[in-house]
Amino acid sequence: MGDPKRPRKQYSTPIRPWDRARMEKESHLINHYGLRSKKEVWKTETILRDFRRKARRLMAASGDQAVKEAQQMIVKLQKLGLLEEGSTLVDVLNLDIENVLDRRLQSIVYDKGLARTPKQARQLVVHGHIMVGDRCVTIPSYLTSIEEEAKVDLHPSAPFEKIEREEETPITPEPVEVGEEE
């Protein structure tokens, strides 16, 4: 039994810690979603792994209780925006980590244009500048439901305004002509 004063670890580390392909994928996810560390990737993978494990268990089970639990799980994932209407347990097994990372509050703030970068979105959330409805949420990994997504906005006392982001276009340097100097 663990120490009651210490919280349990919320993730499991990779089996092969030095797998190059996994490390590159994790680095890409950290940069793209503005995550703080690989620990956040592992926590998200654990959440996804739990969804899949429960779906496999429910697919193998039979009876009224299994059908009821399966329907409850599908409704929960639809409210979170991870599944479409009319999905089945097989669709739960097709979810990937990007689906879950897109539903984080940090990603929603960035997608709504409240921040210039994913890292700035994280900072706004952590510093209490983001409201979900009438609550101030300071957890960047908070999974935002479809209903709550429309209610995400800047705190009224936040010293920021909504940012109009332009489509990112690559900057090309102007050609320099090499010629005779006089």
Side-chain angles (χ1 to χ4, degrees):
M1 183 148 173
D3 187 5
K5 292 184 181 181
R6 289 184 175 226
R8 246 177 61 190
K9 191 166 72 167
Q10 299 173 345
Y11 62 93
S12 59
T13 56
I15 295 171
R16 283 178 250 123
W18 302 108
D19 183 21
R20 184 183 197 121
R22 181 195 48 78
M23 290 172 59
E24 288 173 355
K25 183 178 182 197
E26 288 174 350
S27 295
H28 171 73
L29 291 172
I30 288 171
N31 291 334
H32 186 264
Y33 289 99
L35 305 177
R36 189 180 64 201
S37 65
K38 290 186 178 184
K39 190 185 291 186
E40 288 189 328
V41 174
W42 298 339
K43 283 181 182 181
T44 307
E45 285 176 342
T46 301
I47 290 169
L48 187 59
R49 191 176 308 120
D50 291 342
F51 286 149
R52 288 181 181 153
R53 184 177 296 134
K54 187 172 182 181
R56 282 193 304 272
R57 184 180 58 79
L58 290 172
M59 288 172 74
S62 61
D64 294 338
Q65 185 63 28
V67 172
K68 184 178 177 183
E69 286 182 31
Q71 190 60 31
Q72 288 175 344
M73 180 180 184
I74 290 171
V75 168
K76 176 184 176 182
L77 293 176
Q78 286 174 344
K79 285 182 180 178
L80 284 175
L82 295 173
L83 292 179
E84 299 293 325
E85 199 67 33
S87 298
T88 63
L89 286 176
V90 175
D91 296 324
V92 175
L93 300 177
N94 292 331
L95 291 175
D96 62 349
I97 190 167
E98 283 94 5
N99 298 123
V100 179
L101 288 173
D102 285 336
R103 298 306 309 162
R104 289 169 46 108
L105 180 59
Q106 176 180 353
S107 299
I108 300 293
V109 168
Y110 176 68
D111 292 341
K112 286 188 83 166
L114 301 175
R116 285 190 176 93
T117 64
K119 291 196 183 233
Q120 185 185 25
R122 178 187 190 83
Q123 189 174 24
L124 290 175
V125 172
V126 169
H127 288 257
H129 296 298
I130 300 297
M131 300 282 292
V132 177
D134 58 349
R135 298 180 306 146
C136 181
V137 180
T138 58
I139 303 167
S141 63
Y142 175 76
L143 290 180
T144 311
S145 69
I146 298 292
E147 295 173 3
E148 293 173 329
E149 184 176 356
K151 300 175 185 174
V152 172
D153 203 7
L154 287 171
H155 193 281
S157 65
F160 302 99
E161 294 178 7
K162 191 169 182 177
I163 297 167
E164 294 299 324
R165 236 185 299 125
E166 302 168 4
E167 287 297 318
E168 294 181 17
T169 55
I171 301 173
T172 56
E174 294 186 24
V176 178
E177 293 184 26
V178 179
E180 293 180 20
E181 293 182 20
E182 292 183 26

